[in-house]
Amino acid sequence: MSVVSSIQQSSIESLSALFSQPFTEKDFQVNQTKPEFEGDYTVVMFSLVKALKLSPDAIGHQLGNHLVANYPQLFSKYNIIKGFLNLSISDAYWTGVLNKNYNDTCYGKKEMNGKKVMVEYSSPNTNKPLHLGHLRNNFLGWSVAEILKANGYEVIKSCIVNDRGIHICKSMIAWQKFANGATPQSTGIKGDHFVGEYYVKFNDAYKQEVDELIAAGKTKEIAEKEAPIMKATQQMLLDWEAGKPEVIDLWKTMNGWVYEGFDVTYKRIGSDFDKIYYESNTYLLGKDIVQQGMDKKVFYQKEDSSIWIDLTADGLDEKIVQRKDGTSVYITQDIGLALQKYEQYGIDQSIYVIGNEQNYHMKVLQLICQKLGMPNADNIFHLSYGMVELTTGKMKSREGTVVDADDLVEEMVATSKQHTEELGKVKDFKEAELKELYDTIGLGAMKFYLLRVDPKKTMVFDPKESIDFHGFTGPFIQYTYARIKSILRKVEEADGASAVNHQPSAISLLPLEKELIIAAEQYPAVLEQACTEHNPSVIANYIFHLAKTFNSFYTEHSIANAESDGKKQLRLQLATFTAGIIKSGMQLLGIKVPERM
RNA sequence: GGUCUGGUAGCUCAGCUGGAUAGAGCAUCAGCCUUCUAAGCUGAGGGUCAUUGGUUCGAAUCCAAUCCAGAUCACCA
């Protein structure tokens, strides 16, 4: 049980004994004591005043006395300042926490709870390479999946590849028209980037055609509809749905190029999936459900034969689910896939990691699933994250301000190489070790930078700040870890492999020692919070705080040359404990920690 | 226009299920390496928590209104 829970429980029991009426943890707050006051945790008295008809200080004294008298192993003393009951936790309690957990690699993690969750993330389009926004999605989805696992859930990481549709046909048409048979192999360009170039070429050609039509006297609206390249693209989509062999062949070839490129990127950034869905396989499934929805009268058909759902009663609008030409729209496939996920895996919850620009879409999706009476429709959860903007404003592909994922990774790794070489601490590393270290630091910096912010919030990506390796960054934490490991290695060399194994004696704690144990003790609660909030930034902030606390302790007190053997053992345990939590927490963010750097 | 987000230090962000004098990092300034890795540590300056009103013993936090910014309301995905 956590300290906070213990304080809550003992306070509930004491209050009930003192005032012979029932209390719950909601009747009072337990906070960490502010540094300017004496004590470790504080119980706020004000909320009890009404029920007890006593002054805050009077309640505080009675409760404080009772707690110290009846829970001597937990509380050593108390003081009251203006209605705040400041409790000092005994050093024996803290050293007990340390001794029990310092070497537990599963510290903070929970037993399997029998629940199954699918986390869908990444979900790329196969018409252009990944960019900065995708990175936030990938890191977030991966991390949330791992956090769920640590909290006892069985997790299936999934990905829906948007491999068909009008946008895919655009790059196909452009390739037909402009490529002269060029391939990634013939040009030496990474497959996803290669295809992306043709998507850009489509838009350029389309814009030019529209401009020409407007110049010829057409309205903008008509010009956009009648541009030959757009008409060709629409025809291609129909041909694709009809299974026309040469279209299917080209589609397979070009998607193949993209997948080769994606594989490289995913491997580099550490994204992995248990199940990959392809839209080309799921979009027809949605059509069956459209029929069922018609039968159930959830959907209705308009005169032009397009099919709709009316959501105006729910405060939304009418939404199309099938075009008049019988082809699917995006949401149709989503409905089909939502059902398939439940049918295939029997999942208890379905999480979608998708940008907040699709809040409306996801609301509609869930509502339709509910109206169709689909099982577990209530357990669809949209993990809505904010866009990544640049210091200069939004990323716009038209203005060429999109930050490419591959480029960014290389830049970060190159920067970590440069920093590492300047510091010259690992000159004895072999080539392969150096390469691994640069990756660890560069990717660590990037992941931490994107995960340290609350996912819900729009965030600003500042290139200068992102490659800073000082302060609130991944490398700062990695460095703290490497320093601890360095100490532990040295002590082991000097004292033998079992150097850290003593039971701590009843030893009194210095402020910085206690502060570190208090921080470490909070890790399980942090993991739980990160899980319920689906929020890795909770862990990022916490691990940074822990590392900072350790660094202050480290500067002030020697571990290897502690003033007594008891202190040395205590601090070795403390260092081991801290390193373990850093490693565990960073792992949940998808960030590796180096033994040396 | 409807709906939904958000507005905290020069910049990037915590804090938001109400609690003590609102916290970090970066940047600025001043210190600390013959002793465990200075990618570190210590300290200083820096705030009308968008504005106004309300609820409360107590509001950055809850409620309302206003201002500002963004997203969305496609037979696009």
Side-chain angles (χ1 to χ4, degrees), chain A residues 74 153 311 422 443 535 553 573:
Chain A
L74 186 57
Y153 293 87
L311 299 171
E422 279 169 11
L443 282 160
N535 184 354
F553 157 79
Q573 289 192 354

Side-chain angles (χ1 to χ4, degrees), chain A residues 266-281:
Chain A
Y266 280 139
K267 200 169 176 196
R268 192 101 168 94
I269 66 176
S271 277
D272 62 328
F273 306 99
D274 302 307
K275 172 68 184 174
I276 296 178
Y277 292 100
Y278 295 92
E279 194 186 303
S280 53
N281 292 329

Side-chain angles (χ1 to χ4, degrees), chain A residues 90 129 142 149 440 465 491:
Chain A
S90 73
W142 192 93
K149 285 185 197 171
T440 297
E465 199 180 64
V491 171

Side-chain angles (χ1 to χ4, degrees), chain A residues 402-419:
Chain A
V402 175
V403 176
D404 179 77
D406 293 322
D407 292 350
L408 184 61
V409 170
E410 288 322 308
E411 198 183 322
M412 297 297 284
V413 171
T415 307
S416 79
K417 177 172 190 267
Q418 187 198 328
H419 276 258

Side-chain angles (χ1 to χ4, degrees), chain A residues 285-518:
Chain A
L285 190 82
K287 285 191 174 180
D288 302 342
I289 294 173
V290 170
Q291 251 325 305
Q292 291 168 25
M294 290 290 290
D295 297 343
K296 287 185 186 173
K297 311 264 188 220
V298 175
F299 301 148
Y300 66 93
Q301 195 154 27
K302 287 195 176 176
E303 291 146 19
D304 67 0
S305 78
S306 59
I307 299 177
W308 297 71
I309 184 168
D310 184 359
L311 299 171
T312 48
D314 300 278
L316 305 177
D317 302 293
E318 292 184 319
K319 181 82 186 174
I320 190 161
V321 293
Q322 192 175 94
R323 296 189 190 98
K324 64 184 172 196
D325 63 8
T327 55
S328 299
V329 292
Y330 188 69
I331 200 149
T332 319
Q333 304 146 35
D334 275 351
I335 299 163
L337 184 56
L339 184 60
Q340 199 183 66
K341 285 176 175 178
Y342 286 117
E343 286 174 345
Q344 283 184 341
Y345 291 97
I347 47 179
D348 298 286
Q349 197 184 19
S350 189
I351 297 176
Y352 293 75
V353 182
I354 301 178
N356 61 14
E357 60 200 348
Q358 292 194 37
N359 284 355
Y360 180 80
H361 173 84
M362 289 304 294
K363 207 190 245 180
V364 170
L365 174 65
Q366 182 162 27
L367 206 49
I368 293 178
C369 289
Q370 285 167 333
K371 284 184 186 296
L372 286 170
M374 279 168 47
N376 288 310
D378 295 342
N379 294 323
I380 288 174
F381 177 76
H382 176 203
L383 176 41
S384 164
Y385 65 91
M387 299 291 104
V388 183
E389 295 180 358
L390 306 174
T391 45
T392 48
K394 294 183 193 180
M395 286 194 285
K396 286 180 182 156
S397 49
R398 277 185 218 133
E399 294 169 21
T401 55
V402 175
V403 176
D404 179 77
D406 293 322
D407 292 350
L408 184 61
V409 170
E410 288 322 308
E411 198 183 322
M412 297 297 284
V413 171
T415 307
S416 79
K417 177 172 190 267
Q418 187 198 328
H419 276 258
T420 304
E421 282 171 352
E422 279 169 11
L423 291 167
K425 294 180 180 181
V426 287
K427 285 177 177 158
D428 58 320
F429 270 35
K430 296 193 184 77
E431 190 73 19
E433 291 173 323
L434 283 173
K435 198 175 173 305
E436 193 189 341
L437 180 63
Y438 302 150
D439 277 11
T440 297
I441 297 172
L443 282 160
M446 192 170 75
K447 290 187 182 185
F448 195 86
Y449 184 84
L450 289 173
L451 286 176
R452 69 185 201 183
V453 180
D454 185 334
K456 289 192 291 293
K457 293 195 173 174
T458 302
M459 66 173 289
V460 174
F461 179 86
D462 183 344
K464 263 186 262 153
E465 199 180 64
S466 72
I467 54 170
D468 191 355
F469 291 175
H470 304 272
F472 187 21
T473 66
F476 170 92
I477 294 162
Q478 291 171 325
Y479 176 69
T480 306
Y481 179 83
R483 285 212 298 197
I484 295 174
K485 296 304 275 191
S486 169
I487 295 166
L488 295 176
R489 269 195 309 274
K490 284 186 177 166
V491 171
E492 255 179 44
E493 278 169 28
D495 301 359
S498 54
V500 195
N501 63 357
H502 283 44
Q503 304 284 317
S505 47
I507 200 165
S508 69
L509 295 171
L510 294 164
L512 289 168
E513 292 166 341
K514 187 158 82 171
E515 211 181 308
L516 192 49
I517 301 179
I518 290 176

Side-chain angles (χ1 to χ4, degrees), chain A residues 26 119 127 135 139 243 258 302 477 516 540 575:
Chain A
K26 284 177 184 163
V119 180
N127 63 344
L135 290 178
F139 298 157
V258 173
K302 287 195 176 176
I477 294 162
L516 192 49

Side-chain angles (χ1 to χ4, degrees), chain A residues 65-310:
Chain A
N65 276 327
H66 198 273
L67 287 173
V68 173
N70 291 279
Y71 304 89
Q73 74 286 6
L74 186 57
F75 303 108
S76 57
K77 56 184 170 178
Y78 76 92
N79 67 79
I80 295 162
I81 298 170
K82 290 188 200 162
F84 295 90
L85 172 60
N86 300 321
L87 296 161
S88 296
I89 308 298
S90 73
D91 285 353
Y93 180 88
W94 291 126
T95 52
V97 168
L98 174 64
N99 189 243
K100 182 170 171 238
N101 299 302
Y102 80 94
N103 215 6
D104 179 4
T105 49
C106 292
Y107 177 63
K109 298 188 178 175
K110 290 188 179 163
E111 300 289 314
M112 296 300 281
N113 61 19
K115 293 269 174 69
K116 207 186 269 189
V117 183
M118 180 174 279
V119 180
E120 179 195 289
Y121 74 104
S122 194
S123 304
N125 292 340
T126 58
N127 63 344
K128 50 190 162 189
L130 271 34
H131 60 69
L132 182 52
H134 293 114
L135 290 178
R136 190 178 197 191
N137 179 307
N138 275 271
F139 298 157
L140 181 59
W142 192 93
S143 179
V144 165
E146 294 299 319
I147 290 166
L148 283 161
K149 285 185 197 171
N151 280 275
Y153 293 87
E154 184 186 340
V155 177
I156 302 143
K157 293 177 188 163
S158 76
C159 174
I160 169 80
V161 180
N162 301 120
D163 63 343
R164 49 132 263 141
I166 195 81
H167 56 299
I168 307 298
C169 293
K170 286 178 181 175
S171 38
M172 286 162 66
I173 286 281
W175 186 85
Q176 278 185 335
K177 281 179 77 92
F178 306 120
N180 293 318
T183 67
Q185 289 73 31
S186 74
T187 55
I189 299 170
K190 192 163 166 280
D192 48 339
H193 291 259
F194 178 84
V195 172
E197 284 179 14
Y198 288 93
Y199 186 70
V200 172
K201 284 195 169 92
F202 171 91
N203 283 316
D204 292 345
Y206 176 51
K207 188 175 182 298
Q208 195 183 335
E209 288 186 2
V210 169
D211 288 347
E212 281 165 11
L213 286 171
I214 291 173
K218 309 256 185 190
T219 66
K220 190 175 177 233
E221 201 175 316
I222 289 173
E224 282 173 353
K225 267 188 191 158
E226 292 188 350
I229 196 166
M230 181 58 90
K231 290 188 120 174
T233 305
Q234 274 154 356
Q235 182 56 47
M236 185 178 261
L237 182 63
L238 290 174
D239 290 344
W240 184 92
E241 293 210 10
K244 198 174 175 186
E246 58 265 39
V247 173
I248 298 291
D249 281 350
L250 177 60
W251 171 74
K252 280 185 180 166
T253 302
M254 290 186 72
N255 274 350
W257 293 337
V258 173
Y259 296 144
E260 280 174 29
F262 281 175
D263 283 348
V264 171
T265 305
Y266 280 139
K267 200 169 176 196
R268 192 101 168 94
I269 66 176
S271 277
D272 62 328
F273 306 99
D274 302 307
K275 172 68 184 174
I276 296 178
Y277 292 100
Y278 295 92
E279 194 186 303
S280 53
N281 292 329
T282 59
Y283 81 106
L284 287 172
L285 190 82
K287 285 191 174 180
D288 302 342
I289 294 173
V290 170
Q291 251 325 305
Q292 291 168 25
M294 290 290 290
D295 297 343
K296 287 185 186 173
K297 311 264 188 220
V298 175
F299 301 148
Y300 66 93
Q301 195 154 27
K302 287 195 176 176
E303 291 146 19
D304 67 0
S305 78
S306 59
I307 299 177
W308 297 71
I309 184 168
D310 184 359

